[in-house]
Amino acid sequence: MARRDVEFSAEDVTLRGWFYLAEGASGPAPVVVLAHGFSAVKEMYLDKYGESFAAAGLNALVFDNRNFGASDGEPRQEIDPVAQVRDYRHAITYASSLDEVDRSRVGVWGSSYSGGHVLVVAAIDKRVKAVVAQVPLVSGYENIRSLVRSDFIGGFREQFDADREARGRGEAPATVPVVDKDPMAPSALPTPDSYQWFTETHEQRAPSWRNEVTLRTVEMLSEYEPISYIHRISPTPLLMLVARQDVLTPTELAIGAFQQAREPKKLVVLPGGHFDAYVDGYDHSMPPARDWFLEHLGG
């Protein structure tokens, strides 16, 4: 498997990742651009996706989001979804500059939070010729309402406002854990399967992952609405992979968003929960994504 470390400019920061060379390609080949979801780093199974796309004759560019992993950016551990969407576009620009890449055949893949990002990217950047959104976040507002008890939400608002004032005084950003063993304790992703997947994957594969995001990250999540772009993706082909028992980015929210998308589109329902797509359910999540890109980008 031919993989090389790469870095590229996102104008104000340097982003870093891996480029997987399409196997068997005799000339420029299509490329799939991939980044991870909420706080995750590329070592959290994106190497498996890059390898599988490359084995199918597709180049793959995997990169860490700004402020995370090997990529630069401050403040560390802060997720600005608008900046991450913009960085996908910087990654497309970089990938398109490579000799190995056919710049007329670019696909984007995202999962969970970045599954929402690729919906926005495909809607606004028509260099994208195919898109796969795996277990995507489609509405930050509705997602938070599904995860956070309604009597807790007012307290979050007060914390957001206090953090904004403290940052205005030059103080360090407030932070919260990404996950906690106690689903009732304060955390950004308060589900038991989130705690299990992040802690196990951190120990087994990704020592650089940190169980921390800025409080503003949660505020920006609550404001982010990829669903408002979904009707604009057409005529770019959209594949949405939705997990049947997804409690983190709820199944019914994703299917409802899919119904608002226009043709050409395809929905595949994966077995299991949100995180099964990466591990036990990988053999269900990878083949339809690979085949979608081969169908619409060629190989």
Side-chain angles (χ1 to χ4, degrees), residues 136-153:
L137 174 119
V138 297
S139 168
Y141 175 76
E142 294 295 346
N143 218 97
I144 286 203
R145 282 168 59 92
S146 76
L147 292 179
V148 179
R149 274 177 38 183
S150 57
D151 55 328
F152 287 3
I153 289 177

Side-chain angles (χ1 to χ4, degrees), residues 138-196:
V138 297
S139 168
Y141 175 76
E142 294 295 346
N143 218 97
I144 286 203
R145 282 168 59 92
S146 76
L147 292 179
V148 179
R149 274 177 38 183
S150 57
D151 55 328
F152 287 3
I153 289 177
F156 266 122
R157 296 262 165 248
E158 293 174 5
Q159 292 177 50
F160 294 156
D161 293 343
D163 177 55
R164 193 173 292 277
E165 292 175 8
R167 289 173 72 145
R169 294 191 297 268
E171 297 176 21
T175 62
V176 293
V178 178
V179 293
D180 193 284
K181 189 172 186 177
D182 177 4
M184 297 305 293
S187 68
L189 305 179
T191 67
D193 61 337
S194 299
Y195 176 79
Q196 180 180 357

Side-chain angles (χ1 to χ4, degrees), residues 95-119:
S96 299
S97 74
L98 299 175
D99 293 339
E100 299 95 335
V101 169
D102 180 348
R103 59 187 300 155
S104 69
R105 296 188 286 167
V106 174
V108 290
W109 178 100
S111 188
S112 195
Y113 210 18
S114 66
H117 299 345
V118 296
L119 298 175

Side-chain angles (χ1 to χ4, degrees), residues 206-233:
S208 69
W209 178 78
R210 289 166 53 188
N211 187 19
E212 178 183 68
V213 289
T214 66
L215 185 61
R216 184 185 288 180
T217 290
V218 182
E219 184 178 28
M220 288 188 282
L221 165 64
S222 73
E223 301 164 354
Y224 184 45
E225 297 295 314
I227 193 172
S228 63
Y229 289 85
I230 201 164
H231 65 287
R232 293 167 51 184
I233 294 173

Side-chain angles (χ1 to χ4, degrees), residues 239-252:
L239 172 65
M240 193 178 286
L241 305 171
V242 178
R244 185 176 297 276
Q245 281 102 33
D246 197 327
V247 296
L248 184 61
T249 55
T251 309
E252 65 273 13

